[in-house]
Amino acid sequence: MHRFTTAFLTALSLAPRALAQHPFRHPVDAVEVRYARTQPVVRYTLRVDSTDLTRYSVEIRIRGAGDTFHLAMVAHPEYDDRFFRYLEDLRIEAGGGNATIVREDSVLWRVGAPGGEAVVRYRIHLPAQSNPRRSGWIPFLSPTGGLVGGPHSFMYMLGAELAPSYVTLELPAGWDAATGLESTADPAVYFAPSVDVLIDSPVLVGRFRSWRFAVDGVPHRVIYWPLPDAAPFDTAAMVSGLERLAREAVALFGRAPYREYTFMLQDGAVGALEHLNSVSIGAPSASLAQGLTDLFAESAHEYFHTWNLMRIRPIEYRGVDYRTQPPVAGLWWSEGLTMFYADLLLRRAGLPTFDSTRTAHLAGLIGRYLASPGNSRFSAEQVSRVAYNAAPGALGDYDPSTHLQGELLGTMLDLIVRDATDGRHSMEEVMRAMLEEFSGERGFTGRDIERTVARTCGCRVAPFFDAHVRSGHAIDFNRYLSVVGLRLRVTRVPAMGRDGRPAPDLRLRAWLPPGETAPRLLLGDPASLWWRAGLHTGDRLTAVNGAPVASPGDFRRILGRLAIGDTLRVEVTRPAGAYRATVAVSGYDRPWVVIEEIPGASPRQQRLRRVWLIN
């Protein structure tokens, strides 16, 4: 076995670079070196007690560790919910009775276990739900099911990230489980080949419905957990749409990067989170009964992340880590190109979209880009670095979007590639090249993206990256749209409400920083009436019309009652002292973008446009 492992690793090291990195992040993912005697043996048991659904318990049985080691809880790179705050009743046992466990940090514990064997037990006390609707990736329990596992549940051993582990689920009678963890001969026991997989595989438990389909022989499951009063909806159309979406994505890349995949859909929740071979999605049955467009859009985005983010990773992504993820400069690519292809894959699959055509979709994006001046003031990399794990308002009185910037930059780069190759190539070749080169141990940088695009198109794209990725300059959309014989027509029109009447300028919001008691303001546009009244991001909100404001929700309700012509007094404090603003509520203008054909477009422009519109 050792001889085979050495030979296999040697062969991999001599293979072409792309072959060695895809689809595994590291050669040890493909061989049995991780099962060496030097690796500890770790077994988890997660118990759900139907008589107490406010918490669940976890047991870790460790064998073959050193006399001293560390346990930690993971900080998720996007949504670090800091579940270490809800860990309680931590205790340790060992055969000799002299094991110790000492907390060294909020997420780090030192374990002393002579002989390297210990049993660690603790409980996760689920926090009270603070938002009106539960987020689809956060653990919960109810009488008919819940979401457990993943980074919110399991401690892991530092230095043993490649150690395999087993997870036993002890669930109430009649409950099933769905997860990206591997099944075993025992239906209650699951296998994780590494801590990466363990942490990235939440478990949906309870009474749910299940469907299956295969893409190129690879099994896929669709799981739907309903509330007791779930509204009926077209499940056949839902499953069929997800299958068509999966087929288009696999066809784009040429293969699925997993052995099986699970769509875990939950009633009564919103939002979603991607994983290596599964996705957690909030899918309220009441919304699904009205149509599946929202679900397909959310699923397309998160499913495409299976390739673009989970495999094609920014260089800053460290995998499993208890430390907070450092700023990531390449999220404009990871999020924006995922937005770009989510829309395109839906169209290829013949699934409903929010915009009738690609040009209508692009016009809407450009309108949003022009409406928020931060999108052209800050570079894509600047905005990416504050997208996650940064306090709101990190860019002052501007609110640019890394998703929006990235989708538009991806669209313009697609046009550049098509133009330079006379339509022979597009961003698809760039995506496949990125997968082959950067789905391994090393992630990508902005320069790597630039080089990959340049190799694909055989053209110089450094000026584009200098202007928009590394620096903040407005995109000259007409320059790139002319490749396919299109141009913009931009006018400014009054912003309208759902009632068809001019809408009041509500371009601000509030948030409550951890540990503080008063909300702080967040502005998104220096052209807003709030900025003109002297208010700024970071101001501590103390009162409106003389009444204290206790929470962001209170301020949101105040804004919701405003109409054009109202006047209110806003009192804030800032380092320079107290400030009072009198705000006369008015309407505001927004850009209205129409994309139209250039009269007299050349045959080449028309040919490239025909292909671009459908592909």
Side-chain angles (χ1 to χ4, degrees):
M1 182 62 69
H2 291 296
R3 184 180 303 167
F4 169 79
T5 299
T6 302
F8 193 83
L9 285 172
T10 301
L12 281 175
S13 68
L14 296 175
R17 180 179 175 188
L19 181 62
Q21 293 209 15
H22 180 68
F24 302 106
R25 289 190 58 212
H26 191 278
V28 296
D29 284 345
V31 296
E32 296 185 359
V33 67
R34 66 179 59 196
Y35 304 117
R37 291 173 58 85
T38 55
Q39 294 283 8
V41 177
V42 185
R43 291 183 175 271
Y44 294 85
T45 299
L46 190 151
R47 298 184 180 92
V48 176
D49 183 352
S50 61
T51 65
D52 182 5
L53 298 175
T54 65
R55 68 201 76 207
Y56 52 84
S57 63
V58 177
E59 175 185 281
I60 313 174
R61 292 186 174 270
I62 301 167
R63 189 176 77 247
D67 290 346
T68 302
F69 55 90
H70 284 84
L71 293 175
M73 291 194 76
V74 167
H76 193 276
E78 297 176 42
Y79 304 112
D80 184 8
D81 295 310
R82 302 189 300 153
F83 255 54
F84 61 82
R85 296 174 294 169
Y86 311 119
L87 188 147
E88 61 183 19
D89 298 336
L90 177 65
R91 56 199 187 280
I92 187 169
E93 298 175 6
N98 56 351
T100 60
I101 185 165
V102 178
R103 194 170 200 160
E104 293 188 338
D105 195 356
S106 58
V107 294
L108 187 66
W109 292 260
R110 185 181 73 254
V111 178
E117 295 190 18
V119 179
V120 177
R121 295 185 176 92
Y122 56 91
R123 297 192 297 180
I124 299 294
H125 192 151
L126 294 169
Q129 184 174 320
S130 57
N131 295 321
R133 307 193 81 168
R134 178 176 52 82
S135 296
W137 64 85
I138 295 181
F140 76 100
L141 288 173
S142 78
T144 61
L147 186 71
V148 296
H152 302 90
S153 302
F154 296 130
M155 290 178 163
Y156 74 99
M157 287 184 60
L158 265 67
E161 286 80 2
L162 288 177
S165 58
Y166 287 87
V167 177
T168 299
L169 300 177
E170 295 185 1
L171 305 174
W175 282 24
D176 293 320
T179 177
L181 296 170
E182 296 182 23
S183 301
T184 69
D186 185 336
V189 179
Y190 295 84
F191 174 71
S194 68
V195 173
D196 253 323
V197 175
L198 171 73
I199 295 300
D200 196 55
S201 300
V203 187
L204 184 63
V205 297
R207 301 183 182 98
F208 44 69
R209 299 190 63 185
S210 177
W211 301 265
R212 291 181 178 271
F213 60 84
V215 177
D216 289 350
V218 178
H220 294 68
R221 294 179 296 172
V222 180
I223 307 295
Y224 190 78
W225 176 79
L227 291 170
D229 60 348
F233 60 93
D234 191 340
T235 58
M238 176 186 72
V239 176
S240 173
L242 292 175
E243 178 179 356
R244 287 151 63 187
L245 174 65
R247 291 189 181 281
E248 290 296 338
V250 171
L252 189 155
F253 286 103
R255 74 188 90 177
Y258 45 76
R259 295 199 298 182
E260 63 178 1
Y261 192 89
T262 305
F263 293 91
M264 298 187 293
L265 314 179
Q266 310 161 47
D267 200 354
V270 295
L273 184 60
E274 71 284 346
H275 308 291
L276 284 165
N277 63 354
S278 66
V279 61
S280 308
I281 302 181
S285 59
S287 298
L288 299 181
Q290 301 300 314
L292 300 172
T293 304
D294 283 336
L295 172 65
F296 290 148
E298 189 89 73
S299 299
H301 179 88
E302 304 301 340
Y303 183 60
F304 197 81
H305 270 321
T306 308
W307 288 267
N308 191 33
L309 183 60
M310 303 308 293
R311 269 77 183 182
I312 309 171
R313 297 165 69 94
I315 197 167
E316 299 92 346
Y317 262 48
R318 300 181 302 210
V320 170
D321 203 322
Y322 65 93
R323 297 165 298 179
T324 301
Q325 173 70 51
V328 180
L331 281 177
W332 69 271
W333 175 272
S334 301
E335 294 291 357
L337 272 293
T338 298
M339 298 289 290
F340 174 86
Y341 272 105
D343 176 73
L344 186 53
L345 292 178
L346 289 172
R347 298 181 191 279
R348 292 179 180 177
L351 297 174
T353 59
F354 295 111
D355 305 300
S356 57
T357 63
R358 289 195 76 183
T359 51
H361 178 70
L362 182 56
L365 296 178
I366 295 174
R368 288 166 49 205
Y369 175 93
L370 297 175
S372 181
N375 288 315
S376 56
R377 180 182 179 90
F378 298 97
S379 73
E381 291 188 339
Q382 283 178 286
V383 179
S384 293
R385 291 189 184 100
V386 300
Y388 298 133
N389 298 316
L395 297 177
D397 295 328
Y398 295 88
D399 189 25
S401 165
T402 193
H403 293 68
L404 178 61
Q405 279 185 324
E407 185 171 3
L408 285 170
L409 291 177
T411 303
M412 300 306 110
L413 286 170
D414 181 53
L415 293 172
I416 290 172
V417 173
R418 290 172 186 267
D419 183 35
T421 64
D422 197 30
R424 293 186 301 277
H425 299 305
S426 68
M427 284 302 288
E428 289 195 21
E429 284 76 17
V430 176
M431 294 301 305
R432 286 194 283 267
M434 290 286 290
L435 179 68
E436 294 298 332
E437 190 163 356
F438 301 109
S439 63
E441 193 172 20
R442 179 183 177 274
F444 66 83
T445 67
R447 297 286 182 183
D448 292 323
I449 301 171
E450 178 187 331
R451 283 190 288 268
T452 305
V453 174
R455 284 199 305 266
T456 302
C457 68
C459 61
R460 187 168 178 264
V461 293
F464 182 92
F465 278 77
D466 287 341
H468 308 302
V469 175
R470 292 182 282 270
S471 300
H473 293 89
I475 300 173
D476 182 357
F477 293 106
N478 280 329
R479 174 182 176 182
Y480 304 107
L481 286 174
S482 65
V483 169
V484 289
L486 298 174
R487 67 184 181 188
L488 298 184
R489 181 161 48 86
V490 182
T491 56
R492 297 196 68 86
V493 299
M496 308 298 286
R498 294 182 178 179
D499 58 2
R501 295 189 295 181
D505 185 351
L506 304 180
R507 289 177 289 177
L508 86 165
R509 62 189 192 276
W511 76 294
L512 187 64
E516 297 191 12
T517 57
R520 290 183 181 268
L521 292 181
L522 288 169
L523 277 69
D525 189 344
S528 70
L529 61 89
W530 308 93
W531 190 90
R532 296 197 304 270
L535 298 171
H536 296 287
T537 290
D539 286 346
R540 188 189 301 271
L541 184 61
T542 56
V544 174
N545 290 337
V549 180
S551 70
D554 288 345
F555 188 60
R556 193 162 50 245
R557 285 185 285 273
I558 292 171
L559 293 180
R561 294 192 292 266
L562 292 179
I564 293 175
D566 289 345
T567 299
L568 69 163
R569 300 184 312 279
V570 181
E571 298 176 42
V572 300
T573 59
R574 53 182 60 149
Y579 180 80
R580 176 180 294 178
T582 300
V583 182
V585 179
S586 64
Y588 66 103
D589 290 342
R590 65 179 181 85
W592 179 256
V593 175
V594 174
I595 296 179
E596 57 190 15
E597 296 182 10
I598 297 175
S602 70
R604 181 180 186 271
Q605 289 172 309
Q606 296 179 38
R607 172 172 54 83
L608 292 177
R609 180 170 68 240
R610 285 193 298 270
V611 176
W612 178 82
L613 285 172
I614 62 174
N615 197 33

